[in-house]
C-alpha cells in the first residue's frame, strides 16, 4: 500500500446508492467526501445558463476557464454536498432529472473532463478522500488504495430513484425514468473518453440485494483491514 494513495474510489452507474454509501464511508473514516458528479452537474448548469453552443469548442473552453466551483460538506439533514457555482449556491438546482441528463452530456467533452479531472486530483493530493463517480478508480485516482464498483439491476435503480424524487415532491413516470436511466448508462459507457467502466482492481458489489448499511459495512471491513 506504500505506493498507493490513501484514497477510496467508488464508481458505478446512477441509482446504485453510491452517494449515500460514499458519504457514510467517508464519515466513518473521517475522510473527505468528493462528489465528482456534482462537479459535472455544476458545469452542465453553467453551460445551460450561458446558452452555450456546445459544438463551439472555443466558447466552451472560455466558459470553463471562467468557472469558479467550490464543494462544501453536506448541510445538516441534507444528503448532498453543497455546490457553489460562481459564488451562487446551486446545491438544489443541480439535482433535477434534467440536470442529470445535461451533466451526462457535458461529461463527454474532453475539455470538461480535463478540467474536472485536474481539479479532482488537486483536491485528492493530500489523500484521505472518498471519491465517488464514474471514472475515479480508472482515470482520476488510478493509484487509489481501495477501489469499489457498485452495480445493480436498472429496475432496482429506477425504483430507488423514484422514491428519492417523490420524497422531494417531484412527480415520477416510472417507465420514462427507467428509459432515462438506461439511456444515461448507455451514454456514460459509450463515450470515448473516460467511460463508465470497472477498474481491473476494483471490488464489484451488487447493491441490489443488500441494504445501504450492509454495503457500507462490507466496504469498511475491506478498507480497515489495510488502514494504518
Ligand atoms: O453521479 P451523478 O448522477 O451526479 O453524475 C451526473 C453525470 O455526470 C453522470 O451521468 C455522468 C457524469 N459523471 C462523469 O462522467 N464522471 C464522473 N466521475 C462523475 C459523473
Amino acid at each position: 500500500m506504500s505506493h498507493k494513495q490513501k484514497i477510496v474510489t467508488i464508481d458505478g452507474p446512477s441509482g446504485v446508492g453510491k452517494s449515500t454509501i460514499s458519504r457514510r464511508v467517508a464519515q466513518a473514516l473521517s475522510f473527505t467526501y468528493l462528489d465528482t458528479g456534482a462537479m459535472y452537474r455544476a458545469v452542465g448548469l453553467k453551460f445551460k445558463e450561458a446558452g452555450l453552443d456546445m459544438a463551439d469548442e472555443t466558447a466552451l473552453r472560455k466558459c470553463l476557464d471562467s468557472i469558479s466551483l467550490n464543494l462544501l460538506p453536506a448541510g445538516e439533514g441534507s444528503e448532498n454536498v453543497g455546490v457553489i457555482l460562481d459564488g451562487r449556491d446551486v446545491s438544489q438546482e443541480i439535482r433535477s432529472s434534467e440536470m442529470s441528463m445535461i451533466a451526462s452530456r457535458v461529461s463527454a467533452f474532453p475539455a470538461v473532463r480535463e478540467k474536472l479531472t485536474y481539479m479532482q486530483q488537486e483536491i485528492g493530493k493530500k489523500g484521505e478522500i472518498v471519491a465517488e463517480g464514474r471514472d475515479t478508480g480508472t482515470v482520476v485516482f488510478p493509484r487509489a488504495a481501495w477501489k469499489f464498483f457498485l452495480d445493480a439491476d436498472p429496475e432496482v435503480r429506477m425504483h430507488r430513484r423514484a422514491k428519492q424524487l417523490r420524497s422531494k415532491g417531484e412527480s415520477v413516470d416510472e417507465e420514462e425514468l427507467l428509459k432515462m436511466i438506461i439511456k444515461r448508462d448507455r451514454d456514460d459507457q459509450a463515450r470515448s473518453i473516460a467511460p463508465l467502466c470497472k477498474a481491473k482492481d476494483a471490488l464489484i458489489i451488487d447493491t441490489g440485494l443488500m441494504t445501504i448499511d450492509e454495503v457500507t459495512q462490507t466496504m469498511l471491513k475491506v478498507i480497515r483491514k489495510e488502514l494504518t
Side-chain angles (χ1 to χ4, degrees):
M1 132 125 207
S2 56
H3 64 292
K4 299 234 171 122
Q5 287 175 292
K6 206 170 174 181
I7 288 177
V8 180
T9 62
I10 305 180
D11 292 309
S14 59
V16 286
K18 277 196 317 281
S19 302
T20 312
I21 293 163
S22 302
R23 219 187 42 255
R24 288 197 192 173
V25 169
Q27 219 164 33
L29 300 171
S30 297
F31 282 15
T32 302
Y33 165 42
L34 173 60
D35 178 356
T36 63
M39 299 170 85
Y40 286 95
R41 287 169 183 269
V43 169
L45 182 62
K46 169 114 182 165
F47 286 3
K48 180 185 161 215
E49 288 181 342
L52 209 72
D53 169 7
M54 304 236 193
D56 184 345
E57 170 98 17
T58 313
L60 196 139
R61 284 192 185 265
K62 206 164 148 201
C63 188
L64 270 177
D65 281 345
S66 71
I67 206 168
S68 150
L69 188 55
N70 285 301
L71 298 185
L72 307 172
E76 196 63 33
S78 169
E79 282 278 302
N80 297 313
V81 296
V83 180
I84 308 295
L85 172 67
D86 298 331
R88 190 175 110 229
D89 186 342
V90 296
S91 316
Q92 299 300 323
E93 234 170 310
I94 59 166
R95 296 292 164 190
S96 67
S97 305
E98 186 202 0
M99 286 316 304
S100 301
M101 298 312 276
I102 295 178
S104 177
R105 190 160 164 233
V106 304
S107 73
F109 292 106
V112 174
R113 297 213 77 86
E114 257 166 51
K115 167 106 183 180
L116 293 190
T117 300
Y118 174 75
M119 284 173 80
Q120 290 154 15
Q121 287 171 338
E122 283 296 304
I123 295 170
K125 252 186 184 160
K126 289 197 212 103
E128 308 218 329
I129 289 272
V130 175
E132 179 220 325
R134 305 290 188 287
D135 63 341
T136 63
T138 49
V139 175
V140 188
F141 300 115
R143 291 194 304 112
W146 305 279
K147 298 182 186 179
F148 298 92
F149 190 93
L150 308 186
D151 213 347
D153 195 73
E155 287 268 349
V156 171
R157 295 191 275 130
M158 182 277 283
H159 286 297
R160 283 186 183 152
R161 186 64 92 205
K163 202 169 148 195
Q164 221 173 40
L165 291 170
R166 285 191 181 114
S167 75
K168 284 194 286 182
E170 283 192 45
S171 63
V172 177
D173 175 339
E174 294 198 350
E175 216 171 293
E176 195 51 39
L177 187 58
L178 183 61
K179 268 196 221 149
M180 277 168 69
I181 285 176
I182 292 171
K183 176 174 178 353
R184 191 143 72 104
D185 282 0
R186 215 174 26 229
D187 291 349
D188 288 347
Q189 285 160 358
R191 64 168 178 252
S192 55
I193 168 167
L196 167 67
C197 68
K198 302 171 180 97
K200 275 202 246 36
D201 47 351
L203 178 67
I204 300 164
I205 302 179
D206 186 334
T207 69
L209 299 169
M210 293 166 85
T211 64
I212 294 278
D213 207 41
E214 284 168 340
V215 179
T216 307
Q217 291 313 320
T218 303
M219 291 167 68
L220 285 173
K221 225 183 252 172
V222 172
I223 298 164
R224 284 185 168 134
K225 241 194 269 170
E226 292 175 55
L227 192 62
T228 46

